[in-house]
Amino acid sequence: MSKSLKKLYILYFIILFSFLLLSCKKEEYLPKPIGQVRLEYPAPNYILFKKEKCPFEFQYSNLTKVEDKHKNCWYNFSYPFMKATLYLTYSEVNGNLNSLLKEAQRLVYEHTIKANSIKTKSFSYPEKKVFGNLYRLGGESASNIQFYVTDSIKHFLSGNLYFKVQPRPDSLQPAVEYIEKDIIKMIETTTWE
C-alpha cells in the first residue's frame, strides 16, 4: 500500500473517529410536564329575564340562548359554546310544596348511581321571600347542577344543568364552575310577582 493511500486511510479514520466521538455526546432528555387545557370563557353581562306570563324574574347571562318551551313558564337556557343547557321549570304551589320539594330532591339523588359527591348550598333571602338549594353533583353524573328556589307559598322554580357530551368530570369542571356562577346569579336576583 502506498504512503499516500495510508495517509488517506488514517485521515479517513481520524475523521470518522472524531465524528463518532462528537456525535456520542450524552444528552439528558426531560419528559414534557403534564399540561392541562386552559379554558377561558368570556365574561358575561347579566340581563333581566322577565316574561309577561311568568310570575318571576331574575338576571341571566347574555351569552345564553333562551328557548321558550311553551309550557307554564318552562325555558331552556343553552350555552352553545359549551354544549350545555339549563332546563328551567316553574310550578305553582297549591298546598303541594312538600311534594315539589321531594320531587326536586328525588331528581338530585337519582344521580347517586354515577355521582361520587353531592354538595349542597342553601340560599335564604327572607326580605325577597326566596329560599332554596343548589346541588353540585361530582363524578360522572349526567346532570352536574340542580337547584330550586321557592317562596314557600305560591312559587316553585327549579333547574337542571346537562351537557351534550359524555360526562368526564375533569374536562367539564371549568364549564360547570362557569355556569354555576350564572346559576347563583339567577338565584340571588330572583324576585316574585
Side-chain angles (χ1 to χ4, degrees):
M1 196 186 279
S2 72
K3 277 187 171 184
S4 61
L5 196 56
K6 270 187 179 178
K7 287 181 182 179
L8 192 59
Y9 279 128
I10 291 172
L11 184 62
Y12 176 72
F13 180 72
I14 291 172
I15 292 172
L16 183 65
F17 184 72
S18 300
F19 178 74
L20 288 174
L21 246 164
L22 293 173
S23 66
C24 291
K25 182 180 173 187
K26 185 178 179 181
E27 289 189 36
E28 293 184 29
Y29 291 99
L30 296 174
K32 290 184 178 181
I34 295 174
Q36 294 187 2
V37 177
R38 181 176 176 174
L39 300 174
E40 292 187 19
Y41 299 113
N45 290 316
Y46 293 102
I47 52 181
L48 186 65
F49 179 84
K50 183 177 183 172
K51 300 292 180 184
E52 192 175 301
K53 63 180 181 171
C54 300
F56 58 85
E57 61 184 42
F58 52 77
Q59 292 180 15
Y60 71 102
S61 171
N62 66 324
L63 301 173
T64 60
K65 182 180 167 191
V66 181
E67 180 186 357
D68 187 345
K69 296 312 290 178
H70 305 289
K71 183 179 179 185
N72 194 28
C73 296
W74 289 23
Y75 292 89
N76 293 349
F77 293 80
S78 64
Y79 291 78
F81 59 99
M82 291 186 202
K83 296 183 181 176
T85 303
L86 175 64
Y87 298 92
L88 195 70
T89 60
Y90 172 77
S91 300
E92 228 177 83
V93 176
N94 290 319
N96 60 344
L97 181 61
N98 281 338
S99 65
L100 291 170
L101 290 170
K102 283 181 185 177
E103 177 64 15
Q105 291 170 354
R106 184 191 67 75
L107 289 172
V108 170
Y109 290 102
E110 192 175 76
H111 293 279
T112 56
I113 294 168
K114 292 284 188 174
N116 60 16
S117 67
I118 299 175
K119 295 178 182 173
T120 306
K121 183 174 183 171
S122 295
F123 295 89
S124 179
Y125 304 106
E127 68 283 354
K128 297 189 314 176
K129 296 181 181 158
V130 174
F131 310 94
N133 283 335
L134 179 134
Y135 301 95
R136 173 88 183 262
L137 294 90
E140 295 182 357
S141 173
S143 176
N144 302 95
I145 296 177
Q146 297 191 19
F147 73 93
Y148 69 84
V149 289
T150 181
D151 66 351
S152 302
I153 301 165
K154 286 179 69 177
H155 309 289
F156 191 87
L157 193 59
S158 63
N160 302 298
L161 176 65
Y162 288 90
F163 286 87
K164 293 176 185 144
V165 294
Q166 186 172 0
R168 291 205 166 92
D170 293 342
S171 302
L172 288 178
Q173 184 177 350
V176 172
E177 289 173 357
Y178 179 87
I179 296 174
E180 182 178 23
K181 291 175 186 171
D182 288 351
I183 292 171
I184 290 172
K185 183 72 169 181
M186 284 180 167
I187 293 169
E188 291 175 342
T189 58
T190 298
T191 57
W192 310 110
E193 201 176 73

